[in-house]
Amino acid sequence: MCGVFGAFSPSGSSVLEDVYLGLYALQHRGQESAGISWINGEENIHSLKGMGLVHIALDQKKLASIHAGCAIGHVRYSTTGESLLANAQPLAAKYARGPIAIAHNGNLTNSDGIRRYLENRGAIFQSTTDTEVIIHLMAHQSHKPPLDALVDSLRRLRGAYSLSVLLGNRLIGARDPWGFRPLVLGKREDVTYIASETCALDIVGAEFIRDVEPGEIVVIDSTGIKSVRIPVRTTRHFACSFEYVYFARPDSVIDGRSVYKVRKALGEKLAAGAPAPSADFVTGMPDSGTLAALGYSEASGKPFEIAVVRNRYVGRTFIQPTDLVRNLGVRIKLNPIRELLKEREVVVVDDSIVRGTTARRIVNMMRENGASAVHLRIASPPVRFPCYYGIDTPTCEELAAAQLDLPSLEKMVGADSLRYMSAEDLVAAIGKPRCELCTACFTGDYLQGGDEDGTDL
Ligand code: AMP
Ligand code: SF4
């Protein structure tokens, strides 16, 4: 998962600090690296990139001192390509028709085929990210005006991409025809913004204008905002349901649905479908299960308690790549309140189980601290399939629910009872028709149509 941001000021007022702040608000979408690119005059592209969190990777003071009226930014969390500075985005290049920089959220499912095709024709790739194929596809069409070349390149891609692009002195936003990843447009005075989530508009005081539609390219320049379609026919949309379950910030609104409200609704549905009548109170895994636990508590009439306190200075565990870091992360991060747990029966709500490490630890922790029974409730269906669209779920071998049936998983995490919610309830809580949502990691219902290897070239 990654986050993208972009800002364009027709009056040329400087936007680099806005982009920095936007990335700061999108930090939850990627913690591996951060970068900003801008264009100086018509021709020269500049980038500032670094590894780690936004405030470590980028120098806010330096950015504030640079004047640029059009810029894009990216926070990265690797799905393809290693964790290297060379893979940090935006990716910038100067091709025959001028400067271009791209920030990409999502994962292309046919990039390997396109890459091979281009390499056989002499392209030399600088990074191992799938995003670079977009630039090379454009470079191979230098006879076309840049925007036409971009549209034609995007037409050949399959999978997930929400893009923020600098093309000459234009800012461009694009969302794949299936709408996997969110992308929104906002405005503050005369400055137009593109962002992965609305929380990044809020931080710069911008008003939300609208979502970029699946298959839409928005072109922002001194004449205003224009909309162009990506010429790919689709039969349905695939908006990622996991954004609502876990990934997006709860203060964001995606495709007209408040993430906060969806998470509470998930908890309500879970309480109805997977009650725990003997439990004394409901608690959430901090912070990922808190809102669903609130919904569960309201719907079940059982009190909500904060039974585990999270050290707020420790980052999200999952996003850091190694097992060692992940395991240490959970231990460093959480501390239960013994007085609350002693001889009580607890419902613990979490958003999901991936490898099962977090669930096992938390159940264990509750028992060690006196809980008489622990009922684990998961506010999404079992994750049984990998994601190919930009969320770093592990392979089937590592996915606990792909390997174990419910009783075995219950035993593995050590809960007195473990229940999930159904895919139907997930879809109902999100409130979109099923044919507009991706649920592939839960149901195996992937985007179809020879999209995995065809290059369409
Ligand atoms: P695990 O310990 O591997 O089962 O991870 C489960 C925890 O990671 C849950 O509490 C979630 O909040 C979080 N999580 C679930 N899915 C993902 C994902 N695809 N990427 C990052 N974190 C996730
Ligand atoms: Fe989202 Fe899961 Fe679909 Fe990936 S497979 S896009 S995580 S719903």
Side-chain angles (χ1 to χ4, degrees), residues 1 160 180-181 238-243 247 383 385-393 426 437-442 445-446:
M1 183 57 52
F180 280 101
R181 302 278 149 235
F238 273 84
C240 172
S241 51
F242 224 99
E243 293 273 355
F247 242 102
V383 179
F385 303 90
C387 174
Y388 301 116
Y389 311 120
I391 284 192
D392 183 22
T393 45
L426 169 73
L437 281 173
C438 178
T439 57
C441 51
F442 306 116
D445 180 14
Y446 292 106

Side-chain angles (χ1 to χ4, degrees), residues 242 246-247 288 318 350-358 391 393:
F242 224 99
Y246 171 73
F247 242 102
S288 54
F318 195 95
D350 200 3
D351 68 296
S352 58
I353 293 179
V354 181
R355 293 176 173 87
T357 325
T358 314
I391 284 192
T393 45

